Amino acid sequence: MIELKNVSFAYSCGQEGEGELSGSLKDLSLTVNDGEFVLLTGGSGCGKTTILRLINGLIPNFFEGRLQGSVLVNGKDISSQELYETAKAVSTVFQNPCSQFFNVDTASELAFACENQGLPEEEILKRIKTTVSELKLEPLMNKSLFNLSGGQKQKIACASVAVTGNSIILLDEPSANLDLQSIDELGTLLKKWKDEGKTVVVAEHRISYLWNLADRTIVLEEGKIKKELSRSDMDCITEDELYAMGLRSNKADILLQKKSGLNAEARSSDVSGNSLVIQDFSYKYRYGYLALNIPHMEIEEGKVTAVTGNNGDGKTTFLNTLCGLGHRAKGILSYKGKQYKRKKRQKLIFLVMQDVNHQLFTESVLDEVLISQPEENEQEALAILESLNLEAFADRHPQSLSGGQKQRVAVACAIASGRDILLFDEPTSGLDFMHMKQIGKILRDLKQMGKTVLVVTHDRELIRECCDREICLKDYNQI
């Protein structure tokens, strides 16, 4: 059993030991019974991740702050336990899977948690074999973690939890980087854990694949429980009522559309008018693996184009190659009558990365936007932050924000850059319904400004919200 009793917590986010506190949870009480499946949802920054960190002991053992109340797991006070003791009962899939990896290859990562528990080699190998089979991970075995896509890393993170056999499993935005097929496979895994009687707590914005699994849904707002939905409540609630609460759709058919399909508003089989012309685009990894080979592609200027496909199809590699990252990136982009080789493209195109932690460098959110501008303009920078509901965080350190808030900071930097071509790699991963709609509006506004926008996404709601055309990368990538 998991018990949070009158818990209040505020992160210490002051710089250089100033000790400034940022509120997160406020007198929250929550009980999760053994074998129960609980969905935590709500707006970005509402406290979902904080609850998971309290249960797995990262608060207060790793994340500093002011904690009041008590957190009990199986009757034991988490704050008085060592992390390795808690880890014997609780496993976590983090929002950013890279933050939980301790090895460089996939097989070693799966073995790591079992080795820490002192299990015999025979048992470890048996568990790995079973997990790999159940999650269909055979193609990912014995590969470098550094060469996996974001979605593939998420699969390995889930597998590293599955092999432990722990009775309590926590997941933080587990579908954020997964394609539709992988989300379906994740749902199957979660059902298996539920059927086995495990206690499962999932913090998630994309709720449709979880809706029929959860026994209860907890809706959070500003560190408090806004609403608690029982199973019977969940069976009766309408989509409009969910939208009114700021939640995403619970309709499974949103996730089960054909991967190459588009809605009526976004369908376009041919490029019309002016276009970006991509020629002989390729990328080879250091060890010689050809990850990208696109002889020819045309992308309509001044439109929002979705780039879709399965995990590992090369979508992120395509964006990196397009904006000229890496000396192994080859090819020519023709734009407005000019040809741009790799280095020249770096000044033409701005990329918002899938893991935005790789592009947040400064001491404040405002500074991030200012250094992205061609010429610093604080008034304009503040206006951009306001358009993304980030003005309250202007003086905060970017790394003190939630995952969804960091994502919006990176989007703010893209807007501030003033570049003609803007690339977004999974811009709505970790974002709630309201902010997904907000990103959709921003992408439409960028189109109205004459910008050409490419967005790699698995988010069907975002595609319907703002995209004019969808490109399935596998149709162009000849490898």
Side-chain angles (χ1 to χ4, degrees):
M1 178 180 289
I2 300 167
E3 299 174 275
L4 279 70
K5 299 180 179 179
N6 304 111
V7 173
S8 296
F9 181 76
Y11 288 97
S12 177
C13 61
Q15 299 173 16
E16 299 178 352
E18 292 174 7
E20 179 187 357
L21 294 176
S22 169
S24 186
L25 295 183
K26 302 168 186 175
D27 195 29
L28 184 144
S29 295
L30 174 66
T31 298
V32 180
N33 296 314
D34 291 342
E36 192 174 16
F37 192 122
V38 174
L39 167 61
L40 303 178
T41 191
S44 299
C46 67
K48 302 185 299 297
T49 297
T50 300
I51 290 176
L52 299 188
R53 289 171 177 170
L54 285 163
I55 297 170
N56 63 25
L58 289 179
I59 296 174
N61 291 302
F62 185 80
F63 293 97
E64 297 180 353
R66 182 183 299 155
L67 174 62
Q68 296 176 322
S70 61
V71 181
L72 304 177
V73 174
N74 297 333
K76 297 180 180 179
D77 191 330
I78 289 297
S79 64
S80 62
Q81 272 193 328
E82 296 290 344
L83 277 173
Y84 65 82
E85 289 292 337
T86 305
K88 293 178 181 179
V90 182
S91 293
T92 309
V93 177
F94 292 88
Q95 187 171 3
N96 179 3
C98 294
S99 64
Q100 69 186 90
F101 291 153
F102 293 90
N103 296 273
V104 296
D105 69 277
T106 54
S108 298
E109 188 61 37
L110 296 190
F112 182 75
C114 296
E115 291 171 340
N116 279 348
Q117 293 180 4
L119 297 176
E121 181 179 353
E122 183 178 348
E123 176 64 18
I124 294 173
L125 294 175
K126 178 182 176 182
R127 290 191 181 193
I128 291 175
K129 182 178 179 180
T130 300
T131 301
V132 168
S133 176
E134 289 177 345
L135 299 187
K136 301 179 176 64
L137 296 177
E138 288 85 357
L140 301 183
M141 284 299 95
N142 301 307
K143 287 191 174 182
S144 169
L145 289 167
F146 300 105
N147 294 331
L148 301 185
S149 71
Q152 289 170 331
K153 290 175 183 175
Q154 190 72 296
K155 287 184 176 182
I156 295 300
C158 289
S160 68
V161 162
V163 296
T164 66
N166 282 348
S167 60
I168 299 174
I169 300 176
L170 315 177
L171 301 98
D172 194 358
E173 301 286 352
S175 75
N177 299 315
L178 297 183
D179 59 44
L180 304 185
Q181 179 180 336
S182 298
I183 289 175
D184 188 50
E185 292 170 357
L186 173 62
T188 300
L189 174 63
L190 293 174
K191 184 179 186 304
K192 175 179 179 294
W193 285 338
K194 179 178 180 177
D195 292 344
E196 290 174 351
K198 295 185 184 296
T199 304
V200 181
V201 182
V202 187
E204 182 65 282
H205 292 302
R206 299 178 185 177
I207 60 177
S208 60
Y209 75 101
L210 299 170
W211 201 250
N212 292 327
L213 289 174
D215 299 307
R216 234 183 337 147
T217 294
I218 307 296
V219 183
L220 297 164
E221 185 178 86
E222 296 183 352
K224 297 181 178 180
I225 295 177
K226 177 182 179 181
K227 195 172 185 65
E228 182 173 335
L229 301 174
S230 66
R231 182 65 257 174
S232 59
D233 293 332
M234 294 170 66
D235 291 337
C236 297
I237 200 165
T238 67
E239 196 172 42
D240 287 340
E241 288 174 326
L242 290 172
Y243 290 154
M245 287 191 286
L247 304 182
R248 287 183 178 241
S249 173
N250 64 341
K251 302 297 184 184
D253 59 353
I254 284 176
L255 291 176
L256 296 178
Q257 297 181 53
K258 291 183 179 179
K259 292 185 284 293
S260 60
L262 272 172
N263 64 342
E265 291 76 20
R267 184 174 289 114
S268 175
S269 58
D270 299 308
V271 175
S272 60
N274 296 326
S275 62
L276 310 179
V277 179
I278 290 171
Q279 295 173 291
D280 299 323
F281 261 47
S282 66
Y283 186 89
K284 279 187 178 182
Y285 286 108
R286 181 179 293 109
Y287 52 87
Y289 172 67
L290 182 63
L292 193 73
N293 180 30
I294 300 177
H296 184 86
M297 178 191 289
E298 295 186 21
I299 299 167
E300 199 165 2
E301 290 181 24
K303 301 290 185 181
V304 181
T305 299
V307 180
T308 61
N310 292 331
N311 295 133
D313 276 356
K315 299 182 299 296
T316 295
T317 301
F318 171 64
L319 293 191
N320 290 340
T321 302
L322 188 58
C323 65
L325 291 179
H327 66 275
R328 295 182 184 85
K330 308 294 183 183
I332 297 174
L333 171 70
S334 298
Y335 174 66
K336 293 188 183 299
K338 294 183 179 180
Q339 290 190 341
Y340 293 83
K341 293 187 177 181
R342 182 179 66 85
K343 289 186 178 180
K344 287 187 177 181
R345 294 200 298 272
Q346 294 174 359
K347 297 181 179 181
L348 176 70
I349 302 172
F350 190 99
L351 168 66
V352 175
M353 296 180 177
Q354 187 173 15
D355 184 354
V356 295
N357 291 296
H358 293 322
Q359 60 186 123
L360 300 176
F361 305 106
T362 68
E363 297 297 312
S364 75
V365 169
L366 178 58
D367 285 342
E368 289 290 349
V369 180
L370 290 173
I371 66 168
S372 301
Q373 295 175 311
E375 294 183 8
E376 287 192 5
N377 184 325
E378 185 170 329
Q379 185 175 358
E380 181 184 88
L382 289 170
I384 293 171
L385 290 177
E386 184 177 1
S387 73
L388 288 162
N389 298 128
L390 290 169
E391 66 275 14
F393 306 108
D395 296 324
R396 284 270 297 271
H397 196 289
Q399 296 303 331
S400 72
L401 304 181
S402 72
Q405 290 164 344
K406 290 178 185 177
Q407 193 78 30
R408 282 183 281 145
V409 172
V411 172
C413 294
I415 296 170
S417 72
R419 308 276 177 89
D420 284 355
I421 304 171
L422 303 177
L423 314 181
F424 297 85
D425 196 354
E426 295 288 357
T428 57
S429 63
L431 294 190
D432 56 33
F433 175 73
M434 181 188 76
H435 291 116
M436 180 278 294
K437 298 272 287 186
Q438 192 175 58
I439 294 297
K441 181 181 183 304
I442 287 169
L443 297 184
R444 292 197 306 270
D445 290 345
L446 290 170
K447 179 179 74 171
Q448 293 300 317
M449 295 164 57
K451 307 293 184 182
T452 299
V453 179
L454 272 76
V455 52
V456 162
T457 185
H458 298 299
D459 192 338
R460 304 306 305 183
E461 291 176 278
L462 178 69
I463 291 175
R464 285 199 306 279
E465 185 73 22
C466 66
C467 294
D468 302 296
R469 182 171 181 256
E470 178 178 353
I471 290 174
C472 184
L473 188 63
K474 196 170 184 179
D475 294 340
Y476 294 86
N477 194 14
Q478 298 181 10
I479 56 172

